Amino acid sequence: MAIIITDECINCGACETECPNTAIYEGADDWRYADGTSLEGDVVLPDGKSVNAEEAQEPVSDEIYYIVPDKCTECKGFHEEPQCAAVCPVDCCVPDEDHVETEEVLLGKQRFMHPE
Ligand code: SF4
Ligand code: SF4
């Protein structure tokens, strides 16, 4: 399951630098699969979707920090617990019920983005 940032976010920015997958972006910023990962050029994602890793993608939110579900592994493969939730001062990083994934899938995403 990915983590989602709720509208209680106060835009402090503390979570952004903690994410091992570079899945967190400031509101209104574009995002890329290549940011902070080993992905480059045309890739086929674990879910079968074809994308260009360096292509700028539309922000998920224009107002608050946001998490890209495709890049969030709930910190699996790096840490015991979601680092964004651990540092958020207002506890607004919560499980995203719309993106429920098994541990196996989350670890597969992590290995796909960071194969080394
Ligand atoms: S749970 Fe981990 S991987 Fe997901 S957004 Fe938070 S810090 Fe990043
Ligand atoms: S740490 Fe929490 S309040 Fe701060 S930017 Fe991240 S989600 Fe928002």
Side-chain angles (χ1 to χ4, degrees), residues 1-4 67 69 72 74 94-96 99-101 106 109:
M1 179 180 316
I3 301 293
I4 192 170
I67 292 170
C72 176
E74 233 185 287
V94 300
D96 182 353
H99 293 97
V100 179
E101 295 155 302
L106 292 168
K109 283 166 68 178

Side-chain angles (χ1 to χ4, degrees), residues 4-6 8-16 24-25 64-67 83-85 87-93:
I4 192 170
I5 294 174
T6 73
E8 287 162 61
C9 171
I10 58 170
N11 284 323
C12 74
C15 55
E16 187 182 16
I24 304 176
Y25 292 82
I64 53 172
Y65 278 75
Y66 66 86
I67 292 170
Q83 298 299 287
C84 50
V87 300
C88 181
V90 293
D91 293 334
C92 69
C93 301

Side-chain angles (χ1 to χ4, degrees), residues 9-114:
C9 171
I10 58 170
N11 284 323
C12 74
C15 55
E16 187 182 16
T17 52
E18 299 300 320
C19 180
N21 291 312
T22 313
I24 304 176
Y25 292 82
E26 187 172 356
D29 277 1
D30 291 339
W31 65 274
R32 293 164 190 77
Y33 286 96
D35 295 337
T37 73
S38 298
L39 302 178
E40 53 185 14
D42 293 329
V43 295
V44 178
L45 303 177
D47 66 3
K49 198 165 47 178
S50 295
V51 299
N52 183 288
E54 280 117 32
E55 193 177 313
Q57 309 285 339
E58 292 283 310
V60 175
S61 170
D62 285 331
E63 273 99 45
I64 53 172
Y65 278 75
Y66 66 86
I67 292 170
V68 176
D70 275 358
K71 297 182 77 179
C72 176
T73 65
E74 233 185 287
C75 284
K76 298 286 185 208
F78 290 107
H79 303 288
E80 291 298 311
E81 59 174 1
Q83 298 299 287
C84 50
V87 300
C88 181
V90 293
D91 293 334
C92 69
C93 301
V94 300
D96 182 353
E97 303 295 341
D98 289 336
H99 293 97
V100 179
E101 295 155 302
T102 64
E103 175 154 352
E104 194 183 354
V105 168
L106 292 168
L107 285 170
K109 283 166 68 178
Q110 192 268 345
R111 281 193 295 272
F112 176 73
M113 292 188 285
H114 306 276

